[in-house]
Structure formats: structure tokens, C-alpha cells
Amino acid sequence: MIIRRGYQVTVSNDGINWSSSVVTGAGSSSITSITFTTQVARYIRITQTGSAPGTYWSIDEFNTMGTSPLAPTGLIATNTSGTQINLAWNASVSASGYNLKRSTTSGGSYTTIATNLAYLNYSDTGLTAGTTYYYVVTATNTYGESANSVEASARPISTTPPQLNFVLSGGQMQLNWPLDHLGWQLEMQTNSLNAGFGTNWVVVPNSTLTNQVFMPINTVNGSAFFRLTYTNP
């Protein structure tokens, strides 16, 4: 009876310490293709585990073929100032570098702004305050580039407390603040005359979407107070 020739594959980074079995199997023809999950290693070892009476087992030619890495996960975009967004993501197995891409439209098309990044973070600078930016990152290696990661977005907003200005005209009050603070929240409270500040702040609806708000002047209110607040998400 002829026993099919068997094999076991292990990998190593230094040629001394070897992994547990990556895959085992048996060949039945002159060409045997062995597939296994992506491994990070410098060396591959194939060990014979089967035999056939009267014959020998040998390797005449050996080819190693890899695949492009998987798309990175966990991409996060964080506003840090009126002109900068910081990005970070998780490592992708077998990646040798990363490409970062940006768009001002959700879903792209994207423009590559950094290539072959060795680290898992990047600071995108020189941006326009108040504009929302959308990002994806890909992983690369010798065999190609991965698909895009899940998209992340952020809007650069100045975190320096701004000057809140107002103008009275035609029975209403126009409040405005610098455009690079688009995303700050306008809050209001009304109190009896001479009562001073209280804790009854109310958010003016949709004020984070603009840098100016028109408020009707209500003479019934003794006093009205306004402030801008911002919480970095």
C-alpha cells in the first residue's frame, strides 16, 4: 500500500524559533499548492510527515506567494485646532506601510495625502476651519494595496475662546462669532431684571451649524445672557 506523502508548515522570524504548525496536509501529484492564513515571518519550513515505500520525498522547486494586506480598522479622526486633524488607526497584519486619503465629500472620491506611512497615526495640517474632511486609510506590502478602511470624518474648529459680537436692528439681535469657530454652541438664559447669572442655560437650536444667529428682542424678559461653548468630541 502506498502512503500519501504528508507535510507540515511552520514559520519563523529568526530561523531559530519556529511557530507551531501553520498547516498540515498531503500531496498527491508532482505539484502541490499549500495555502494558509496570512503570517508575519521571514522563514518558512516544510517538514515531511509521510512516506511511500521504495520512493523518496523531495522538493525540486519552491515558490512563495503572498497577498495584499487586509484593510486597517479603527480609523479615528480628531479635531485639534482650526487647521489640524489628527488621525489614528489599528495595524493590519503583514502591512509594510499605509496610505492616507482625504475628501471633502463623504464616500469620496479621495485624494492620497500621504504614502508608505510607517506609523499608525498622522497629523493633517493646513486645513480650512469649518470644513468637514473625510478620510480612509489603506495598508500596503510587496503584493499590493488593501481596500479602503471604514471612513472617518472630522471638522477643524478653533478651540480658542472667541469674541461674541451682537448688533441690534429692527426689533431683533444679531449675534455672530468668527467663521473658524463654526461648531461652537450658542447658549442663552433669561432672568428677572437685576437677578444676574443663573444656571438655566438653554442651547439655541442649530447654532453649531452657523456662526450667526438672529434673536427677536422680547421686552418681557428682564435680562438675557448669551455665551459660546465647545466640547471637543
Side-chain angles (χ1 to χ4, degrees), residues 79-85 102 104 124-133 135 154-160 162 177-184 208-211 230:
N79 163 62
T80 58
S81 74
T83 59
Q84 179 175 319
I85 291 174
R102 182 183 68 203
T104 54
D124 192 16
T125 59
L127 303 176
T128 301
T131 298
T132 301
Y133 293 90
Y135 298 89
R155 181 173 57 191
I157 301 171
S158 176
T159 55
T160 303
W177 52 96
L179 186 60
D180 63 357
H181 287 71
L182 187 66
W184 283 61
T208 58
L209 304 178
T210 183
N211 71 318
Y230 177 69

Side-chain angles (χ1 to χ4, degrees), residues 179-198:
L179 186 60
D180 63 357
H181 287 71
L182 187 66
W184 283 61
Q185 176 176 271
L186 182 66
E187 298 179 352
M188 173 184 180
Q189 65 169 270
T190 56
N191 299 318
S192 300
L193 191 64
N194 299 322
F197 286 110

Side-chain angles (χ1 to χ4, degrees), residues 91-176:
S92 177
V93 175
S94 79
S96 59
Y98 299 90
N99 295 336
L100 187 65
K101 305 176 184 182
R102 182 183 68 203
S103 177
T104 54
T105 303
S106 179
S109 56
Y110 301 101
T111 299
T112 301
I113 60 173
T115 59
N116 200 31
L117 295 170
Y119 302 103
L120 303 176
N121 53 75
Y122 183 82
S123 294
D124 192 16
T125 59
L127 303 176
T128 301
T131 298
T132 301
Y133 293 90
Y134 301 88
Y135 298 89
V136 293
V137 64
T138 61
T140 62
N141 63 14
T142 304
Y143 303 102
E145 182 179 17
S146 74
N148 290 339
S149 69
V150 173
E151 183 182 79
S153 65
R155 181 173 57 191
I157 301 171
S158 176
T159 55
T160 303
Q163 177 67 46
L164 179 60
N165 304 303
F166 71 93
V167 176
L168 300 176
S169 177
Q172 65 180 358
M173 176 185 296
Q174 177 190 358
L175 298 107
N176 61 81

